[in-house]
Each structure stands twice: as structure tokens, then as C-alpha cells.
Amino acid sequence: GESVGLHLPTLSVQEGDNSIINCAYSNSASDYFIWYKQESGKGPQFIIDIRSNMDKRQGQRVTVLLNKTVKHLSLQIAATQPGDSAVYFCAENRLAFGKGNQVVVIP
Amino acid sequence: EAQVTQNPRYLITVTGKKLTVTCSQNMNHEYMSWYRQDPGLGLRQIYYSMNVEVTDKGDVPEGYKVSRKEKRNFPLILESPSPNQTSLYFCASNPLGGNQPQHFGDGTRLSIL
């Protein structure tokens, strides 16, 4: 079957480098944002979230940055590993999903 | 283990033959929803349910039905499938209160010939 990664912006990154994935959102009233990771053959999995009263939140190897002025969200992955190869989606207020970005990690 | 379970995972069938995709969650979540995922279009919501016996249309409900007779189950029904319903389908659930992420099943790939 066709991969969900087709037709998506793709980021190729060398193993061990940092990755940055960007997402623009449209609704200035959105107050909650989520990043999901979707590996091949699986459903989206929650990575990290952030509320609109914050501009940065860190997890294990991942950091989400929120810029409400320009309605922009980014996900930073430190020391990218082969297991990070996936499609990454942002979502605003749980339900409005971006189309996704494919990350390909080169060993 | 907290999970959302969909069945079947894969199905190839023919136009007009009724089919049901089941979805079950074991987290006592009030909110459940169905999405279809198509290349270049991302995730689009088909139907959602905020609790037992309460269902509403999402963005692309045409050709689909759902029911929510029990809190844990939210089946998706295609009464007369057509080839344009060939897609990858995901069920998801989450608690209603507060801002919390959705939990997704692993997907059902439907091919309608």
C-alpha cells in the first residue's frame, strides 16, 4: 500500500545530528498544541505537548517551541537516531492536524 | 496496557458489500473518533462521539455510519463501500476533560475494488 509519507516535505538528517521540524497553525485562539510521531504501519503516537501560556517545553531528547506571534510551532529532536525515522504531525487543540513532515535518518 | 484496538487491520473487499471496522478502547475515555488518512491530505475526521449514544459528523462523514452503544466501542460502518473509500483508517480516544492528547489505534487499511 501507499505510504503515508508520500507527498510530504521530507527532512533527511544524519544520525547523531539534531532535527528541527516546523509547523504553522492558523487559529490564533488555539491554546493547546501536540506533536505526534507516526511510524510505518502504526498509528500516531503522542510525543510532547505545550499549552499556549508557555513558549518552550522539553522532554527526553525533544523540545517544542511555540511562537504565538507568528503562529509557529517547532519540534527539535536532539541526537537523532534511526528509530526517529517517521512522519511527524502537529495538532492544535487536539483535533486540527497538520499534514505532516517525514524525517529520514541516514545511518 | 492502555490501548485502542482496531479490527481488521487489513481488508480487501468489493464495491457495495457492507463492512464494519471495530474499535475498542480500555481507558474509559468518553471521546472517540474515526479518521481517514490519505497521501497528501493528512488525517481527516469522519465521525466523533463525546459519550455513549452521542455521535456527530466530522469533516468527511459521507458514506459512513457509526454507533456508540457502549463507552468502550465505536464501530465504523460502510453500508455500501465505494472505491473512493479506499484509505487508511484510524480510531482514536481521549478523556473529555482538560487538554489531553488522543490515543490512536494502529490503523485499518481498506481496499475497495
Side-chain angles (χ1 to χ4, degrees):
Chain A
E2 213 173 354
S3 164
V4 297
L6 288 181
H7 312 298
L8 293 178
T10 300
L11 173 67
S12 296
V13 59
Q14 203 72 36
E15 182 178 357
D17 287 352
N18 298 334
S19 304
I20 299 177
I21 307 160
N22 297 303
C23 180
Y25 63 93
S26 55
N27 186 354
S28 55
S30 296
D31 60 359
Y32 178 61
F33 303 88
I34 311 167
W35 279 101
Y36 291 93
K37 173 186 180 183
Q38 186 177 15
E39 296 176 88
S40 181
K42 295 189 175 181
Q45 291 179 295
F46 167 77
I47 303 173
I48 191 167
D49 57 5
I50 188 167
R51 286 165 174 73
S52 59
N53 60 352
M54 304 170 71
D55 53 21
K56 179 179 179 178
R57 190 162 188 227
Q58 286 185 289
Q60 189 177 16
R61 283 200 309 116
V62 293
T63 300
V64 55
L65 299 176
L66 175 63
N67 185 331
K68 294 181 286 293
T69 303
V70 295
K71 292 187 282 189
H72 183 269
L73 196 66
S74 68
L75 178 71
Q76 299 177 359
I77 306 173
T80 312
Q81 302 169 359
D84 295 326
S85 291
V87 174
Y88 291 82
F89 296 95
C90 65
E92 52 183 299
N93 286 355
R94 282 192 314 203
L95 298 179
F97 292 90
K99 290 185 173 49
N101 290 265
Q102 174 129 35
V103 172
V104 176
V105 181
I106 303 162
Chain B
E1 182 189 349
Q3 57 187 4
V4 177
T5 304
Q6 298 177 224
N7 278 296
R9 293 290 315 278
Y10 305 90
L11 179 63
I12 301 173
T13 188
V14 295
T15 298
K17 186 177 181 182
K18 180 180 178 179
L19 68 91
T20 299
V21 185
T22 63
C23 174
S24 180
Q25 51 94 5
N26 62 0
M27 295 165 279
N28 202 37
H29 288 166
E30 295 84 7
Y31 188 99
M32 297 185 73
S33 59
W34 276 102
Y35 297 87
R36 60 179 288 172
Q37 186 176 43
D38 301 288
L41 297 177
L43 281 164
R44 294 181 292 169
Q45 192 179 49
I46 303 170
Y47 267 94
Y48 65 95
S49 169
M50 298 183 77
N51 216 322
V52 176
E53 302 292 0
V54 179
T55 63
D56 280 294
K57 294 178 180 179
D59 298 320
V60 288
E62 293 77 22
Y64 304 95
K65 285 173 58 176
V66 292
S67 70
R68 189 88 183 273
K69 292 184 171 56
E70 307 161 284
K71 197 172 187 180
R72 63 183 291 127
N73 295 324
F74 190 45
L76 178 70
I77 302 151
L78 284 71
E79 293 270 5
S80 183
S82 62
N84 65 10
Q85 292 177 298
T86 292
S87 187
L88 180 58
Y89 292 85
F90 289 101
C91 180
S93 75
N94 57 265
L96 254 188
N99 285 321
Q100 297 195 54
Q102 294 188 73
H103 297 251
F104 286 84
D106 279 337
T108 295
R109 186 167 288 284
L110 288 185
S111 294
I112 316 295
L113 304 178

